[in-house]
């Protein structure tokens, strides 16, 4: 990264990731109770790293004329670290996959998964198209004369 930034006075000496770092150190073979100096040093390095990445993303957003930081700004910041960029892309792809999977299980209230297209005579896909939000009252679809549902269109 660039030059190290001075920590704000309110963050000086504050441990942000103490418990997580202790667990990680133990998982990687350190003593169950690692030295507090080790944890403090790693916490400080990790906090500085996260701050640098965030400042880099904010600079990228500012360069593109935005005040809000987007995911692309973080990707631009870590573009020189192929492993980190790959992991970010992998996590974004996983988030997209999970969102699509949740959408498949998101059914309207009162309906079960396989029963969506079935029901009383005259209900089904045609009714759902008629009930789109923002349309207000039911509107007849083009070419429909009666709403009895007796005809197979």
């Amino acid at each position: 990264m660039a030059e190290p930034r001075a920590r704000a006075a309110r963050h000086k000496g504050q441990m942000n990731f103490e418990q997580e770092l202790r667990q990680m150190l133990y998982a990687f073979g350190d003593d169950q109770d690692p030295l507090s100096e080790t944890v403090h040093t790693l916490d400080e390095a990790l906090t500085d790293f996260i701050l640098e990445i965030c400042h880099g993303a904010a600079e990228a957003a500012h360069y593109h004329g935005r005040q809000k930081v987007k995911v692309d700004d973080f990707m631009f910041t870590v573009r020189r670290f192929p492993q980190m960029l790959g992991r970010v892309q992998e996590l974004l792809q996983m988030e997209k996959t999970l969102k699509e999977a949740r959408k498949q299980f998101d059914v309207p209230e009162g309906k079960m998964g396989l029963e969506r297209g079935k029901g009383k005579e005259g209900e089904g896909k045609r009714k759902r198209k008629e009930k789109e939000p923002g349309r207000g009252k039911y509107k007849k679809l083009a070419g429909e004369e009666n709403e009895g549902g007796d005809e197979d269109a």
Side-chain angles (χ1 to χ4, degrees):
M1 305 277 153
E3 76 284 343
R5 298 178 195 277
R7 277 185 154 189
R10 67 175 183 251
H11 297 298
K12 202 109 181 145
Q14 180 181 350
M15 300 283 276
N16 297 312
F17 307 103
E18 180 179 7
Q19 190 62 33
E20 293 86 353
L21 286 171
R22 287 183 183 279
Q23 293 171 353
M24 284 180 64
L25 285 169
Y26 181 64
F28 285 109
D30 199 358
D31 191 31
Q32 189 167 3
D33 189 28
L35 294 173
S36 59
E37 293 85 13
T38 304
V39 175
H40 182 74
T41 304
L42 283 174
D43 184 79
E44 195 171 311
L46 180 60
T47 304
D48 289 344
F49 174 77
I50 291 172
L51 286 173
E52 286 296 320
I53 295 292
C54 291
H55 283 292
E59 286 177 15
H62 180 72
Y63 178 77
H64 290 289
R66 293 188 311 266
Q67 289 187 354
K68 290 188 176 182
V69 178
K70 295 185 175 182
V71 174
D72 291 337
D73 299 323
F74 283 99
M75 291 176 65
F76 182 80
T77 303
V78 299
R79 72 188 184 280
R80 295 188 185 124
F81 306 102
Q83 289 179 328
M84 199 180 311
L85 181 61
R87 180 66 175 150
V88 168
Q89 290 171 339
E90 180 184 339
L91 289 171
L92 288 173
Q93 181 62 37
M94 193 181 316
E95 178 190 26
K96 184 179 176 183
T97 305
L98 288 172
K99 193 179 286 186
E100 289 172 2
R102 282 190 199 108
K103 192 182 288 186
Q104 290 178 354
F105 287 104
D106 187 28
V107 294
E109 193 172 314
K111 301 276 185 175
M112 298 304 270
L114 297 175
E115 298 176 4
R116 277 194 265 174
K118 302 174 185 173
K120 295 180 184 175
E121 198 173 315
E123 287 187 33
K125 293 182 182 177
R126 186 173 44 179
K127 282 283 187 177
R128 271 192 269 141
K129 287 182 184 174
E130 293 172 354
K131 292 185 192 178
E132 286 182 13
R135 277 194 166 187
K137 296 182 179 183
Y138 293 135
K139 294 189 176 186
K140 289 185 180 179
L141 296 175
E144 283 188 18
E145 260 59 63
N146 69 15
E147 290 190 18
D150 300 335
E151 300 173 7
D152 292 325

